[in-house]
Amino acid sequence: MSLAAAFRVGRSASHPGTSPAVTSAIAIQSRGYAAPAKPAKKVASKFRPNANNEKAKRAARDPGLFRPMPANNLTDPVFQSDQRAALQLPIFRPETLTPEKANTAMAFPSEGSRALKAYGLPVNVLVDYMLLAKPCSVVRKVTIDALDSLDKAASTSSSQTRLVFTGKSGCGKSYLLLQAVQYAVQKEWITMYIPRAINLVNSSTSYVYDARTQTYGQPAFAQQLLKRFADVNEALIKGIKVQGSYPFEERTIGSTSTLTELINVGLEFSHHAPTVLSMLLTELAEQTKFPVLLAIDDFQALYNMSFYRDPFYKQVKAYHLSFPRTLLEFASGKQAFKRGAVLGALSTQNTTFRAPLELIEALGLEPAQPSGPYVPREKELVEYAKGLKNFAVPDQLTVDEAASIFDVWQSAKALHVSRGDEMFLSKFTESGGNAREFVQKALLQTVAM
């Protein structure tokens, strides 16, 4: 007799009233198989039923129980937007930007802020301005040096002034580039500002192949940039005549046409927008009536591989996109404005688009990873980076610069700490003097205290 049979016999002997079928079921369960699930018992809910009905009954008995608090009971100034203190700051104007004004916080004038509204802002700057009462910045010594470079470039070719703002993450490169744009707008420069160059290569806008130029155009982006450029520079470009001849299917732009008419072709016909944008920069390079500033934030993105794909699903290089290639030609001096400058700012926040080795070596920076003669370089990127000059932004704020920033945020009632030297110095030390860390991680964290 097998062990299982003996077991069944033993179980039957001990329970004479058990049927063979039941005995077999007991034997199967004893081998470790799962037993049939038992019906779940109903458990009383810990939540009170019909809570909404109970609330409605209580509200009917006492109508004032759930009434909102009257606005006049909110006495704290944080709830009274009409009592918010306006920032009393000197206005950021070219005639006031002297070396003596270093370490001074200044507000951008309302007429000059149209460039900010038209072109947009880098994300970190936009967040700051959403919290402050008005767009402003602190004039630093590096600001005066950068604006002096612009003054010298006003009468020379842009090939001689191709600067790239470099420095540690959060040191203020984007703010410095924004100050340069504001300065140029008020000095009657024709300006083209691209605050987020990463959007040119991250596949966030449509693209189409142009067999004539063998590049990929971005009609939607080009059309938007043409509109923004026209809004900011309308008063300056309306009298500038086109020097070339551009026959389009719908109309021909010739020597009797103005730059405004050329831009209108791109605004009316989106498929012409990438071509019109390249033509516009070519025309701006030839005119000498006004200096031209081309300012590009996230500058390193132009030297990266884009997220776009060709018909064979291979990644498209940034310089195979029509407008990024045009920007790289002006950055490298292959094309140049007869009067003007090209400014760029490196960004390290987005680790997907890092500065490549070719750009780092051209700027004389220390590469993040060891490099040597056997590390391959892309010759096209080497050519596009040739001649760029490094404009270093200090990694740390001075005490006076940080004090001006502290006063701005304190005056805007954005901080929940008392004004005092001890608090200021503790926050300055906590951030290590880094501008972004000082604002976002030292000052604004006081809101949660």
Side-chain angles (χ1 to χ4, degrees):
M1 181 183 296
S2 66
L3 182 61
F7 178 75
R8 287 197 295 271
V9 170
R11 295 288 293 177
S12 299
S14 59
H15 299 280
T18 305
S19 65
V22 176
T23 303
S24 177
I26 294 174
I28 291 175
Q29 293 176 22
S30 67
R31 294 180 183 181
Y33 293 99
K38 296 180 180 179
K41 295 182 179 179
K42 293 185 178 181
V43 180
S45 174
K46 63 180 180 179
F47 299 104
R48 295 183 61 188
N50 300 324
N52 292 334
N53 292 341
E54 290 292 331
K55 183 176 179 180
K57 292 178 181 178
R58 293 173 60 193
R61 290 194 299 266
D62 187 358
L65 186 61
F66 297 98
R67 184 177 299 169
M69 181 182 294
N72 56 9
N73 286 0
L74 304 176
T75 57
D76 193 285
V78 73
F79 297 109
Q80 302 175 11
S81 58
D82 57 337
Q83 295 184 13
R84 186 178 183 183
L87 292 176
Q88 302 297 329
L89 299 175
I91 302 300
F92 185 96
R93 297 194 183 280
E95 60 272 13
T96 63
L97 297 173
T98 60
E100 293 75 20
K101 292 296 183 179
N103 311 322
T104 303
M106 293 187 175
F108 293 132
S110 56
E111 66 272 13
S113 297
R114 73 179 187 275
L116 307 184
K117 298 176 181 177
Y119 288 125
L121 294 167
V123 175
N124 57 313
V125 179
L126 179 61
V127 171
D128 290 347
Y129 287 168
M130 290 175 66
L131 299 175
L132 292 172
K134 62 175 65 176
C136 60
S137 65
V138 173
V139 177
R140 306 167 63 183
K141 182 181 182 302
V142 69
T143 305
I144 303 300
D145 295 339
L147 300 185
D148 286 344
S149 299
L150 278 185
D151 287 337
K152 296 177 183 177
S155 57
T156 60
S157 170
S158 66
S159 61
Q160 301 181 30
T161 310
R162 292 177 287 128
L163 308 178
V164 180
F165 299 154
T166 63
K168 286 186 177 180
S169 178
C171 67
K173 302 181 292 293
S174 294
Y175 267 98
L176 180 59
L177 188 64
L178 185 61
Q179 289 173 330
V181 172
Q182 285 289 322
Y183 183 81
V185 168
Q186 295 185 61
K187 292 281 286 186
E188 293 190 340
W189 285 46
I190 297 175
T191 58
M192 180 175 287
Y193 175 43
I194 302 170
R196 305 174 191 177
I198 288 178
N199 290 345
L200 280 168
V201 297
N202 65 358
S203 187
S204 60
T205 184
S206 60
Y207 69 116
V208 61
Y209 183 71
D210 186 350
R212 182 179 58 85
T213 60
Q214 296 184 351
T215 59
Y216 293 87
Q218 297 162 291
F221 184 92
Q223 197 171 39
Q224 291 176 7
L225 185 58
L226 286 172
K227 178 65 170 63
R228 294 168 180 173
F229 176 86
D231 289 344
V232 175
N233 302 282
E234 180 181 7
L236 302 180
I237 64 175
K238 63 181 180 181
I240 300 178
K241 298 291 184 179
V242 173
Q243 301 186 31
S245 179
Y246 307 106
F248 295 98
E249 298 174 359
E250 296 78 9
R251 71 191 66 164
T252 298
I253 302 298
S255 57
T256 59
S257 305
T258 63
L259 286 182
T260 302
E261 294 177 89
L262 175 63
I263 292 174
N264 287 337
V265 173
L267 296 180
E268 293 178 23
F269 309 100
S270 60
H271 60 285
H272 289 321
T275 304
V276 170
L277 187 56
S278 297
M279 292 175 178
L280 173 64
L281 286 171
T282 301
E283 288 292 328
L284 293 177
E286 294 299 322
Q287 64 84 35
T288 57
K289 188 175 181 180
F290 298 103
V292 182
L293 173 63
L294 178 59
I296 309 166
D297 212 337
D298 295 330
F299 182 70
Q300 79 290 341
L302 302 177
Y303 292 82
N304 276 262
M305 186 74 73
S306 78
F307 283 177
Y308 291 97
R309 302 277 181 170
D310 66 9
F312 301 98
Y313 206 67
K314 292 183 178 179
Q315 280 187 279
V316 176
K317 297 178 179 179
Y319 55 81
H320 286 163
L321 299 168
S322 175
F323 187 55
R325 170 176 284 193
T326 302
L327 295 178
L328 288 172
E329 288 180 350
F330 279 94
S332 62
K334 297 180 183 297
Q335 293 192 62
F337 305 111
K338 290 187 175 180
R339 297 176 59 196
V342 178
L343 301 181
L346 297 187
S347 172
T348 57
Q349 280 189 290
N350 191 319
T351 57
T352 304
F353 297 97
R354 298 176 182 270
L357 179 62
E358 296 85 351
L359 180 59
I360 289 175
E361 290 183 337
L363 296 174
L365 302 175
E366 187 69 24
Q369 298 179 351
S371 62
Y374 299 105
V375 177
R377 277 83 166 169
E378 194 169 345
K379 63 179 182 179
E380 289 85 359
L381 296 183
V382 172
E383 288 296 319
Y384 283 132
K386 186 178 296 183
L388 291 172
K389 297 180 181 179
N390 179 10
F391 192 96
V393 179
D395 295 335
Q396 295 179 328
L397 298 167
T398 65
V399 174
D400 291 335
E401 293 167 353
S404 295
I405 295 176
F406 184 82
D407 286 340
V408 167
W409 286 93
Q410 188 73 46
S411 300
K413 296 185 179 180
L415 307 183
H416 290 188
V417 293
S418 58
R419 187 191 302 265
D421 293 343
E422 183 178 352
M423 176 58 67
F424 162 70
L425 291 174
S426 67
K427 295 301 180 182
F428 180 71
T429 305
E430 178 183 334
S431 64
N434 181 272
R436 184 187 300 149
E437 297 284 328
F438 181 63
V439 173
Q440 297 185 1
K441 293 189 177 180
L443 297 184
L444 293 185
Q445 278 190 352
T446 62
V447 176
M449 294 177 61

